[in-house]
Amino acid sequence: MQNPHDHKAALDRLLSHAPAPHRAEFRQNLLQRLQLALRIVGRTVQFLGSDGFDGSDHPDGNFAAEKPLAETAMLLYTVGRHAADPALRDALDRAMDDLAPHARSQRMRWDIVRYPSVCLQLATPHILLGALGRKDARFDALLAASAVASVSESHEVVPYRELELMWLKALWRNEAPRSSFAETARRTALGRAIDLLNGTRDDAYAHTHAAMYYTDFGNWRGSLPRPAHEFLDESAAVLARALVIEDYDLAAEALMAWPLLSTSWSPAAAFGFRVVASLEDKVGFLPAGRSASSQLLRLDGHDRTKCALATSYHTAYVMGMLCAVALKPGMASPFEIVGPAYSMSLVADLRALIPARSAHWEQVFAALRPDEQAMLAPFLLDVALMQSSRKGDVVQMARLLQTAVTHGLADTTLCAQAAGLLTRMSALVAPDS
């Protein structure tokens, strides 16, 4: 495995006070990160591709082998668009060789036949391998028979999962998505805001995943059901929350929104990319967070290796997918923070309202140049608003909203939701007439 200090040295060069890096330089940095993700594939498939993970003592619980196999296939699918690069071609071929026997095993064939209501989900690795040129006519025939079974649509799914199925079906049939694809997108977070103040982690995943499937991981350019800036405002809030609680899986997924929509990196997005990239360089891979360490300490040998992979492979994959979509033609360097600057007094005031928790983003923020910090007032406002809401500090929320109005920062979904919450709370405590 490549020495993470090599990545760090490259990142330091990208973040120096020198002029903006040439595309070739940041492209090479992202390609090296893709190579890291591909190296993790072999071990993941080896340890988790047959039986999944029995993690009854772990916060994320158990998962069957279908989960890492499908996620491996999604990583390879996003990397596949860069297959012509000699730095990736051999590694991608090896990873597909590792995946294919598990994706089309006898047990998987049996499950496709036995469970037609989820046959497309089970066949995700097969479908994505086919899209990469690794087809299997016999497996296709089994899938086709199950896909038209009388109970093939009997399993109810939430809208973004419905979008996923429509995406998979289009890839499998090698056709454009049907007209109902856009209608389904309107019922997802692409068309409706999630609750940024009190929503669940599942709500945040619904937000990040809808964009992945609707754009075919950045390959398709359909019209969004609402203005892109609204969706990206919410992505920025999801990112801010993920960085604060050190949920790097969710942070990396939220960051995909900008390249998926072929939009320039916002200052908050570029800062978020810098946070996850520097953490990957520090650890050697992007970790999920802090929760898994105590479980690992109780294990050794094979069990420890399997647990380590189970708790880290997904986030490492997401980082790889992020780098793959960030390499889209026309995308600027994700390491360069560019945008309007705000007063340093505003930045200092907002930063003072955010309790120090020794999260990695705080260290990265402290190391920024003053001109870069001055561009991140909107990010700090998002963090301060969400934390004041969590504490139930309505006075601070009101002051923050007034500050947002004063400095032209209030035109976001998060500010609108905060104002709505304060309005509802005032009605709650209003005296009876």
Side-chain angles (χ1 to χ4, degrees):
M1 182 176 291
Q2 184 166 348
N3 189 334
H5 293 294
D6 295 341
H7 279 178
K8 185 178 186 304
L11 184 58
D12 288 342
R13 288 194 298 273
L14 286 168
L15 303 183
S16 70
H17 290 255
H22 190 272
R23 177 170 177 83
E25 187 171 0
F26 79 76
R27 176 180 171 81
Q28 183 60 33
N29 186 286
L30 298 182
L31 286 172
Q32 289 174 350
R33 297 178 191 280
L34 286 182
Q35 291 171 332
L36 170 62
L38 290 175
R39 286 195 293 272
I40 293 172
V41 165
R43 299 279 280 175
T44 300
V45 172
Q46 175 189 353
F47 281 90
L48 304 175
S50 297
D51 302 313
F53 178 62
D54 179 5
S56 55
D57 295 332
H58 188 267
D60 292 333
N62 306 330
F63 56 78
E66 288 81 2
K67 180 178 184 292
L69 293 179
E71 291 166 348
T72 298
M74 288 185 186
L75 169 64
L76 302 188
Y77 181 67
T78 59
V79 175
R81 67 195 64 178
H82 308 294
D85 194 296
L88 297 177
R89 178 71 260 174
D90 289 345
L92 180 61
D93 282 340
R94 286 194 299 272
M96 288 193 288
D97 288 343
D98 290 336
L99 176 63
H102 295 274
R104 292 158 174 163
S105 65
Q106 188 60 34
R107 186 173 73 177
M108 189 69 80
R109 293 171 187 271
W110 168 247
D111 286 346
I112 291 291
V113 171
R114 187 179 182 188
Y115 305 113
S117 64
V118 291
C119 63
L120 281 174
Q121 294 96 317
L122 292 169
T124 296
H126 161 75
I127 292 170
L128 295 180
L129 282 170
L132 288 167
R134 297 287 190 98
K135 298 186 180 297
D136 185 314
R138 290 183 60 196
F139 199 101
D140 261 343
L142 292 176
L143 179 57
S146 286
V148 297
S150 60
V151 293
S152 62
E153 298 183 1
S154 62
H155 182 64
E156 293 188 20
V157 293
V158 295
Y160 85 93
R161 287 297 186 192
E162 186 177 352
L163 204 65
E164 178 187 17
L165 294 176
M166 299 171 83
W167 165 68
L168 285 170
K169 192 172 292 186
L171 287 181
W172 177 40
R173 294 174 173 172
N174 195 27
E175 62 185 20
R178 298 180 180 180
S179 57
S180 55
F181 194 61
E183 180 58 37
T184 300
R186 292 189 185 95
R187 296 187 287 110
T188 71
L190 292 166
R192 302 172 179 177
I194 63 170
D195 186 345
L196 298 169
L197 292 171
N198 296 296
T200 66
R201 196 169 187 258
D202 286 343
D203 294 331
Y205 274 118
H207 173 94
T208 60
H209 285 227
M212 297 177 197
Y213 305 138
Y214 189 64
T215 66
D216 182 35
F217 286 90
N219 283 332
W220 297 337
R221 290 292 302 273
S223 298
L224 292 181
R226 59 186 172 127
H229 73 83
E230 291 183 8
F231 183 82
L232 291 171
D233 279 345
E234 293 154 31
S235 297
V238 171
L239 170 65
R241 178 63 182 163
L243 293 179
V244 167
I245 64 175
E246 298 190 274
D247 185 341
Y248 298 113
D249 168 15
L250 182 56
E253 288 195 5
L255 282 167
M256 284 192 217
W258 283 266
L260 291 180
L261 301 184
S262 299
T263 303
S264 299
W265 301 98
S266 71
F271 172 67
F273 199 102
R274 195 177 296 191
V275 171
V276 297
S278 62
L279 187 60
E280 181 181 55
D281 294 341
K282 179 180 180 179
V283 177
F285 61 91
L286 184 64
R290 300 181 178 182
S291 62
S293 58
S294 60
Q295 170 76 354
L296 286 174
L297 292 174
R298 297 197 298 267
L299 302 172
D300 54 29
H302 179 277
D303 290 338
R304 186 169 188 171
T305 299
K306 191 168 185 177
C307 183
L309 282 167
T311 55
S312 62
Y313 86 88
H314 177 75
T315 310
Y317 279 11
V318 173
M319 185 64 184
M321 288 188 277
L322 171 61
C323 291
V325 296
L327 281 165
K328 283 177 64 173
M331 288 300 296
S333 169
F335 299 105
E336 187 179 3
I337 299 174
V338 178
Y342 297 85
S343 70
M344 285 304 292
S345 61
L346 171 62
V347 170
D349 289 345
L350 291 172
R351 184 67 188 91
L353 294 175
I354 301 170
R357 302 184 185 276
S358 300
H360 188 64
W361 79 265
E362 299 172 50
Q363 302 168 33
V364 176
F365 183 87
L368 295 178
R369 303 190 308 262
D371 62 302
E372 293 173 320
Q373 292 184 353
M375 300 175 203
L376 290 171
F379 167 81
L380 295 174
L381 176 66
D382 284 354
V383 174
L385 272 174
M386 287 187 284
Q387 292 201 334
S388 61
S389 173
R390 295 278 176 172
K391 293 186 298 183
D393 191 340
V394 296
V395 173
Q396 183 168 299
M397 286 182 68
R399 289 174 178 165
L400 285 166
L401 288 177
Q402 183 57 57
T403 297
V405 171
T406 301
H407 293 274
L409 297 172
D411 188 21
T412 67
T413 303
L414 181 59
C415 284
Q417 290 185 3
L421 175 59
L422 291 179
T423 300
R424 296 193 301 274
M425 295 183 75
S426 66
L428 180 66
V429 300
D432 295 333
S433 57

